Amino acid sequence: MVLVVEDNPEHQRVIAETVRRLGHRVVVADDGRSGLAAVRTRHPDLVITDVDMPEFDGLELCRAIRGCTTAAPAVIAITAFLMPGDPSIAAAGAATVVRKPFTLAELGASVRAHLPVPSDATDADRPPAADVPTTQAPAASQGPFATTAFVAALLQSLDTGVAACGTDGRLVVFNAMMQELFGTESLDVLLDEWPDRFTLCHHDGTPLRAEELPLRRALGGQEVCQSDLLAYDRAGQPRWFTVNARPIQEPGTGTTIGAVAAVHDITDAHRTQRYQDCETAVLKVLTETPDTVAAGNRILTAIATTLDWPYMALWLVDPVVDRLRRVAVYAAEGEAPLPVPETFGPGESLPGVCWQRGEPVWAPDIHAPDSPVLPAIAAACTYKSAGAVPVRSGERTVGVLVFFAHDRQEPEPALAILISGVAGHIGAYLERRRAEELSLQLAASTDEYVALVGHELRTPLTSIAAYTELIAESPPGTPVDQVRDLLDVVLRNTAVLRTLVEQLLDLAALDSGHVGLECAPVDLAEVVGEAVECALREARPRDITIDSTLHTGAVVTGDRDRLRQVVDCLLGNAVKYSPDGSAVTVGLVAGPDCVELTVADNGIGVPEGERSRVFQRLYRASNARHSSSGGNGLGLALSRTVVERHHGSITLASTEPSGTLVTVRLPDAGCGAGSDTLGA
């Protein structure tokens, strides 16, 4: 049986149909949480899940499946957003990645790779003869695999840690992975001594008591699932684990005679998440803080708190004296100040060496003879390691970011990339101190834009390609009526794709200046009134009212068609995301220097942390992205471009208790914004 977890109904249907044609039973789930519940109750042989789902996504589902079942099914991850080689997919435990748009043949091949074709399947459903094993081990050969030698070899070959103990707390099984992490001598450590011996903690850093150990709880009769554990290996490096533990009971009597635990090392996944949180926190600071000094302190706090670093400093080059000068510092609560000079020259101590080399510098042991850290600084602190990365502006190093850590910090590639990336963001910020310029620079991030374009194109393209294949594979002579609903899906998604491409081209033409504005005096009240009448055709069937107050004299100089495009977009969004029976309010007033248009609704609103991003092209708020309402995230981006070409502004705010208020301000016709200026 195959479980399909997909929140897009069209994609869910085509995946399920493909699996059924291979002869397998199918169970479907609309989101990750219901998918996990189905795994626990239905025990599928294979799970096919979309990665991009709201709240509980496909990667979280993979991790939960791997951690909570003794015989976890293989997982095929389908994605239009992440690349197949993305480390987060491998860390989550997906067996195969299928990239959208996929063909039925590609999906079928992935399913066949994990499930044999059922015996009652048709010949067309079976894989080629070359894929079918020609020999099978005789039943008699199964005997040796139940021997103690086989079990021992199996335990030693696992890349998952396994530990077992008797009721006295002494370890009787400690496989190769556990010995590699904690040393062979750990076999002699009693269970209750482990918290102190290896500084065991919960993931949040709180100490783990002996009675909280998964093996100790299992000895008490509990079945432990995904217990969190933070430990320090024999090299002194922190490692994050999830642990499943079960009691071992004597057959017949049910008496507990020991306990066994499976220890999953999730250090890479944990660090990846922390690195993502760190970058997100830094970008949030950069977009919200226009002042350089305040931004520096907040950036250091964001990095240090997410990566558990007790001390950080930002040094910038003082062009007058050509030395590094400290401009921001972070020290965790209770940390003593360091005896650091006010400035460093090239090659002096850790910041100066990094500045001179123009590349990251790592000091895994700041007390080592070859450490670049000044001896006076190393002697005055309890830190074990340190590092520095250059802050660049183009090819020029303009500063250095320095950190100290209590743990031994090796030059891990992923961490180096993260900190170098953060330093790059800081360098860009230093050259663009105005918040508006920074926002534009972040919005134009190539990687994010390409990923979003790919996702928005692949989603309808997946439906078009898959449903076309379903039609093509229909038996000869199939009446049109039997495939009409499939044709409707193809036509609908073709229209979505066409609209998306046209809007992208229109937006690109406006941004590049290749399309000018046909400017003349425009009565905005007339334009808004026409747009309201048009929007009412969509609003009336849902019992939504549009209350408008349009003052006369609201005349601007601009392109009438483009301004109508903006009003249509704002009214369309207000109606689309409003509940049935609600009201949309439109206001237009003429002030002394500008005309102000407001559109307010009582709909789903925009989460507070995402309001600064909704004007980015292809970005949709998280609560709208997976709603039943359509959209591609281009309407507000196009509206902002049009408004700014008219030398106006457009802002978005929340209304109470829910909803959105969009405000457009345009210079009135008397402000001297003539057609030559607007068309430039």
Side-chain angles (χ1 to χ4, degrees):
M1 185 261 286
V2 178
L3 171 65
V4 176
V5 187
E6 168 65 76
D7 65 325
N8 184 309
E10 293 178 357
H11 295 182
Q12 181 189 94
R13 178 181 174 188
V14 77
I15 294 170
E17 180 61 23
T18 301
V19 174
R20 288 192 187 100
R21 292 186 179 189
L22 292 174
H24 300 289
R25 291 187 300 113
V26 178
V27 174
V28 298
D30 297 328
D31 55 62
R33 296 195 186 281
S34 58
L36 181 59
V39 169
R40 290 169 171 165
T41 58
R42 305 298 294 273
H43 307 293
D45 303 301
L46 177 67
V47 176
I48 303 175
T49 180
D50 185 23
V51 170
D52 182 39
M53 293 186 294
E55 296 183 6
F56 196 82
D57 63 28
L59 298 186
E60 292 175 294
L61 176 60
C62 285
R63 290 190 287 268
I65 291 174
R66 187 179 64 176
C68 281
T69 60
T70 54
V75 179
I76 297 176
I78 298 180
T79 177
F81 192 77
L82 298 176
M83 297 299 293
D86 192 292
S88 62
I89 298 179
T96 303
V97 179
V98 175
R99 183 80 166 151
K100 292 182 180 178
F102 54 80
T103 66
L104 300 188
E106 290 171 341
L107 181 59
S110 297
V111 173
R112 289 191 182 101
H114 297 284
L115 283 183
V117 176
S119 58
D120 57 350
T122 64
D123 291 339
D125 294 328
R126 297 183 182 279
D131 296 335
V132 180
T134 57
T135 61
Q136 184 176 0
S141 67
Q142 304 298 318
F145 292 98
T147 64
T148 302
F150 168 72
V151 174
L154 176 63
L155 289 174
Q156 297 307 315
S157 65
L158 292 175
D159 56 6
T160 296
V162 178
C165 68
T167 54
D168 59 357
R170 294 187 179 277
L171 293 173
V172 294
V173 173
F174 202 63
N175 74 339
M177 177 184 173
M178 297 294 286
Q179 293 180 36
E180 181 181 348
L181 289 173
F182 301 107
T184 56
E185 65 277 7
S186 302
L187 272 167
D188 299 325
V189 180
L190 290 174
L191 188 60
D192 292 342
E193 297 174 0
W194 272 69
D196 292 334
R197 175 69 176 270
F198 297 101
T199 320
L200 301 187
C201 300
H202 294 288
H203 283 181
D204 61 4
T206 58
L208 188 74
R209 303 189 306 273
E211 60 269 23
E212 294 179 305
L213 285 169
L215 277 176
R216 177 58 66 190
R217 292 164 59 189
L219 286 174
Q222 296 184 43
E223 291 193 356
V224 182
C225 180
Q226 283 194 303
S227 177
D228 64 309
L229 179 66
L230 168 61
Y232 288 81
D233 61 21
R234 58 182 177 178
Q237 297 271 16
R239 312 284 297 195
W240 286 264
F241 304 94
T242 59
V243 184
N244 301 326
R246 300 287 186 275
I248 302 174
Q249 296 177 333
E250 188 175 37
T253 66
T255 302
T256 298
I257 58 175
V260 62
V263 183
H264 301 276
D265 189 347
I266 61 167
T267 301
D268 290 342
H270 181 84
R271 286 174 174 162
T272 298
Q273 184 60 53
R274 289 174 64 189
Y275 296 165
Q276 292 174 351
D277 293 343
C278 176
E279 186 170 19
T280 299
V282 170
L283 292 176
K284 186 174 186 296
V285 171
L286 291 176
T287 56
E288 294 178 351
T289 313
D291 178 72
T292 304
V293 175
N297 288 311
R298 289 187 59 191
I299 288 170
L300 297 186
T301 301
I303 299 172
T305 53
T306 53
L307 299 183
D308 293 331
W309 286 339
Y311 182 91
M312 290 196 72
L314 175 62
W315 300 78
L316 296 182
V317 175
D318 185 338
V320 177
V321 296
D322 198 30
R323 292 179 66 85
L324 289 172
R325 190 177 300 276
R326 190 175 63 182
V327 297
V329 65
Y330 167 86
E333 185 176 354
E335 297 291 339
L338 294 180
V340 180
E342 290 296 323
T343 64
F344 283 117
E348 295 179 0
S349 192
L350 182 61
V353 171
C354 180
W355 178 25
Q356 185 179 58
R357 296 180 183 176
E359 61 184 24
V361 176
W362 299 85
D365 181 2
I366 64 174
H367 303 286
D370 59 348
S371 170
V373 178
L374 288 178
I377 297 176
C381 67
T382 59
Y383 307 133
K384 291 183 179 179
S385 61
V389 293
V391 177
R392 296 182 178 279
S393 174
E395 298 298 321
R396 184 168 54 96
T397 298
V398 297
V400 174
L401 194 61
V402 176
F403 70 86
F404 284 81
H406 284 301
D407 306 320
R408 182 180 177 88
Q409 187 70 68
E410 298 289 345
E412 180 190 347
L415 180 59
I417 292 173
L418 169 73
I419 299 302
S420 297
V422 169
H425 286 305
I426 296 173
Y429 176 79
L430 293 173
E431 298 300 314
R432 299 168 179 83
R433 297 191 178 186
R434 292 189 306 159
E436 181 179 355
E437 292 178 352
L438 176 63
S439 177
L440 292 173
Q441 184 246 346
L442 293 176
S445 173
T446 302
D447 289 342
E448 180 181 5
Y449 181 61
V450 169
L452 287 171
V453 170
H455 181 272
E456 293 300 328
L457 290 175
R458 286 188 177 95
T459 296
L461 189 57
T462 297
S463 294
I464 293 171
Y467 278 78
T468 300
E469 284 194 67
L470 287 176
I471 294 170
E473 292 182 2
S474 299
T478 301
V480 174
D481 288 345
Q482 292 187 14
V483 295
R484 190 173 299 281
D485 58 337
L486 304 181
L487 289 171
D488 289 342
V489 172
V490 173
L491 292 174
R492 183 170 64 253
N493 282 278
T494 300
V496 170
L497 203 57
R498 183 187 302 113
T499 301
L500 177 63
V501 172
E502 288 176 350
Q503 288 186 319
L504 280 171
L505 292 174
D506 194 22
L507 187 56
L510 281 170
D511 281 342
S512 65
H514 292 160
V515 174
L517 302 179
E518 300 293 333
C519 295
V522 178
D523 185 345
L524 205 55
E526 182 180 292
V527 172
V528 175
E530 293 173 357
V532 168
E533 288 299 320
C534 183
L536 281 171
R537 290 197 289 269
E538 298 290 334
R540 287 192 182 105
R542 296 174 52 201
D543 197 25
I544 296 175
T545 60
I546 301 179
D547 302 324
S548 58
T549 303
L550 311 179
H551 290 182
T552 59
V555 179
V556 300
T557 299
D559 187 315
R560 192 182 196 281
D561 292 338
R562 289 294 185 182
L563 293 173
R564 171 64 186 273
Q565 190 177 15
V566 172
V567 181
D568 283 339
C569 171
L570 301 184
L571 286 173
N573 283 348
V575 172
K576 181 192 305 180
Y577 297 114
S578 290
D580 294 352
S582 62
V584 173
T585 304
V586 181
L588 180 66
V589 296
D593 298 314
C594 72
V595 173
E596 184 175 281
L597 168 67
T598 57
V599 179
D601 62 62
N602 297 304
I604 62 175
V606 178
E608 182 177 357
E610 302 180 42
R611 291 172 196 155
S612 62
R613 303 185 64 190
V614 293
F615 291 103
Q616 296 178 13
R617 61 186 66 184
L618 292 173
Y619 183 84
R620 298 187 70 201
S622 57
N623 57 345
R625 187 176 178 186
H626 295 281
S627 69
S628 58
S629 302
N632 54 31
L634 287 174
L636 287 178
L638 192 58
S639 297
R640 183 184 68 173
T641 299
V642 171
V643 170
E644 290 179 348
R645 289 290 301 275
H646 284 80
H647 303 290
S649 66
I650 181 170
T651 57
L652 182 145
S654 64
T655 59
E656 298 296 338
S658 64
T660 303
L661 170 66
V662 180
T663 303
V664 175
R665 302 177 77 245
L666 297 168
D668 66 16
C671 288
S675 59
D676 290 342
T677 302
L678 291 173

